[in-house]
Amino acid sequence: MKEYWSSRIRDAVPYVPGEQPKDRVFIKLNTNENPYGPSPEASKAIAAAAGDTLRLYPDPQCTDLRAAIAERYGLHPSQVFCSNGSDEALAFSFQAFFDPEREIVFPRITYSFYPVYTSYFGLKCREVPMNPDFTIPMEALCGDNGGVVLANPNAPTGIAVSRDAVEQLVQANPQAVVIVDEAYVDFGAESAVSLIDRYPNLLVIQTSSKSRALAGLRVGWALGHENLISALCCVRDSINSYPVDRLAQIGAAAAVRDNAWFDKTRHAVMDTREKTAAALQERGFTVLPSKANFLFASHPDRSGKELLDGLRERGILVRWWKDPLICNWLRITIGTPQEMESLLTALDAILG
Ligand SMILES: *Cc1c(COP(=O)(O)O)cnc(C)c1O
């Protein structure tokens, strides 16, 4: 029953987030959370700020957080926009840069929020078919379109393209904004941030949720030409002027400034990823080459659903999609080495 619902949402097909179970303790390898936790500096800064000043609205411009991000990435603060998770930066971008008259393009297999935003904001898209090896045919994203959205590394495959390939894409689409979603870039891919000064149509979106282990704080950011950042501010200030709360601004700034923790933990994740990929291959899995904090893997003798259910029975959650193109694949988040041992033990039991 959808009585009283606006026509805008009556036919909407919302995004389905990965499960956050409350009933029992699982090993959670289903939502790409970071197993190592955030910088202790971030937790300290948040604790120190959780007092009387919470009665005051936060800084709508996120001045200090933007300064921290700008310094980290060699940009000017006017090239930085902060949001309530990078999903919000993405949602604002779809509203700021895309029009219903011109098709936007993105790969057929990618972050499933893009098609959700497309239809929710009344846009049209063309989904570009993947190559058989799940790489992206980059030529198909070039020219004659109203915008491009590229996750690099891609989700849920984990496959990355080079900075040169992104530059060619941006050059080939001067008529439209190219959004590069770098949610996982810190786990071994090449960032496009260094191209920002040269291309006024490039917007790079990043998040503190994965490589800085702050998924619970909800802070993301968009990096690009000042003109694009102004457009995002225009959307934000038409909806909610304070999307990033006080504790989030303070915690994320501390995390961005703690490079030592960032490097130590992301390298631990990458190291575990490579070991886990080899161990899965030894067991007969096909594993795509990942530059993210997850692996996308498939086994010739068991369907994706069988593996998903078998792991769940053994207390391990991974991510699986019904989509026939990928229904025999599992997306497995990289956890601690011990969690990965439990995963392999469970898979051995399932495979017999
Ligand atoms: C996790 C993820 C995001 C968004 O994360 P937030 O927690 O909203 O910052 C965006 N894009 C991709 C591809 C992701 O996997």
Side-chain angles (χ1 to χ4, degrees), residues 85-87 90 111 155 181 183-184 207 209-210 218:
S86 64
D87 285 336
L90 284 164
Y111 188 35
D181 179 352
Y184 301 104
T207 177
S209 297
K210 278 61 183 251
R218 311 304 303 131

Side-chain angles (χ1 to χ4, degrees), residues 166-193:
V166 172
E167 182 165 13
Q168 283 168 26
L169 180 68
V170 175
Q171 277 173 345
N173 289 289
Q175 79 293 343
V177 171
V178 175
I179 296 175
V180 183
D181 179 352
E182 294 190 347
Y184 301 104
V185 78
D186 298 320
F187 299 105
E190 294 177 357
S191 173
V193 166

